[in-house]
């Protein structure tokens, strides 16, 4: 990405995740803030390495959603497993004992991911002037190679800061773009820059 493209994508994604945060706050009835700490358009192999480094090579959990339309691919919301438990426990207001937390983690994270991913995709599509349709979300647990399986094109790797009450949590929003969708994504960004 060129400098102007990267600046525009950061701006677009910040708006998208802020829209997601507002939607999530409505669902959980608690203040939540999401912001973009960094972005990179990279290869699948480089994204896998970056995720392994960011999650300290520990198991991570993801909610993954397939999208099609003017762009196609998969959008993933990813947290390292330890931080996902902190997130779920915070959302449940510490009312659930830690020993039964894992039974609820998958359902809670899938619902969180569904809200965040749908709102992010909707906001991005609106800002870029495209149309995207998404499938039902899917929960996965494992290392970076397992979570990012199936990617064949470029990857938009986004490092997220999540502020939930007194908790600060690192997360990742990763867009696996199919084939020519990487080029089409840049074209959409260039058109956005022209309109701006």
């Amino acid at each position: 990405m060129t400098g102007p493209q990267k600046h525009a994508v950061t701006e677009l994604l910040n708006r998208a995740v802020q829209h997601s945060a507002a939607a999530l706050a409505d669902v959980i009835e608690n203040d939540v803030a999401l912001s973009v700490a960094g972005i990179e358009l990279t290869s699948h192999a480089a994204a896998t390495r970056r995720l392994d480094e960011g999650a300290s090579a520990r198991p991570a959990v993801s909610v993954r959603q397939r999208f099609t339309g003017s762009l196609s691919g998969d959008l993933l919301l990813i947290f390292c497993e330890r931080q996902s438990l902190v997130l779920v426990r915070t959302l449940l207001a510490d009312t659930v004992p830690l020993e039964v937390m894992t039974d609820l983690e998958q359902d809670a994270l899938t619902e969180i991911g569904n809200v965040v991913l749908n709102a992010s995709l909707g906001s991005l599509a609106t800002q870029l002037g495209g149309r995207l349709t998404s499938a039902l979300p899917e929960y996965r647990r494992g290392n970076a190679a397992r979570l990012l399986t199936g990617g064949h094109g470029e990857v938009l790797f986004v490092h997220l800061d999540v502020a939930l009450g007194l908790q600060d949590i690192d997360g990742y929003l990763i867009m696996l773009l199919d084939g020519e969708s990487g080029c089409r994504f840049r074209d959409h960004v260039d058109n956005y820059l022209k309109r701006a």
Side-chain angles (χ1 to χ4, degrees):
M1 274 190 296
T2 65
Q5 285 175 330
K6 187 169 184 177
H7 179 77
V9 171
T10 302
E11 184 179 285
L12 290 165
L13 286 169
N14 261 314
R15 284 192 201 127
V17 298
Q18 286 167 12
H19 185 71
S20 299
L24 186 57
D26 285 344
V27 171
I28 66 173
E29 299 178 355
N30 200 342
D31 288 337
V32 58
L34 298 174
S35 60
V36 174
I39 69 161
E40 185 178 350
L41 190 60
T42 188
S43 68
H44 186 271
T48 302
R49 285 193 302 272
R50 284 279 308 277
L51 183 58
D52 264 337
E53 291 165 6
S56 304
R58 296 181 195 148
V61 294
S62 76
V63 180
R64 181 176 182 145
Q65 196 161 38
R66 179 79 185 157
F67 63 89
T68 55
S70 50
L71 300 171
S72 64
D74 294 274
L75 187 63
L76 295 84
L77 180 65
I78 299 177
F79 298 99
C80 75
E81 190 171 44
R82 179 182 55 80
Q83 292 205 325
S84 72
L85 288 172
V86 171
L87 176 63
V88 172
R89 190 159 172 81
T90 302
L91 293 176
L92 296 175
D94 295 331
T95 58
V96 179
L98 199 56
E99 59 271 14
V100 298
M101 186 66 66
T102 52
D103 296 335
L104 298 172
E105 178 194 18
Q106 181 171 338
D107 289 342
L109 279 175
T110 301
E111 181 57 28
I112 291 165
N114 189 39
V115 172
V116 171
L117 297 176
N118 273 319
S120 296
L121 281 171
S123 177
L124 271 177
T126 299
Q127 293 180 83
L128 292 174
R131 268 193 124 158
L132 298 176
T133 304
S134 56
L136 290 173
E138 170 188 303
Y139 174 92
R140 286 189 186 178
R141 178 185 181 276
N143 61 14
R146 182 174 192 282
L147 297 183
L148 301 185
T149 187
H152 302 293
E154 291 180 285
V155 178
L156 183 62
F157 191 100
V158 183
H159 184 187
L160 290 178
D161 283 334
V162 182
L164 185 63
L166 298 176
Q167 298 287 343
D168 287 320
I169 299 168
D170 286 329
Y172 304 93
L173 191 65
I174 297 179
M175 184 181 284
L176 304 177
L177 292 161
D178 291 346
E180 296 301 312
S181 282
C183 292
R184 290 200 301 271
F185 179 73
R186 277 190 284 271
D187 289 343
H188 279 300
V189 173
D190 287 338
N191 289 333
Y192 169 81
L193 284 167
K194 287 174 188 172
R195 292 194 306 271

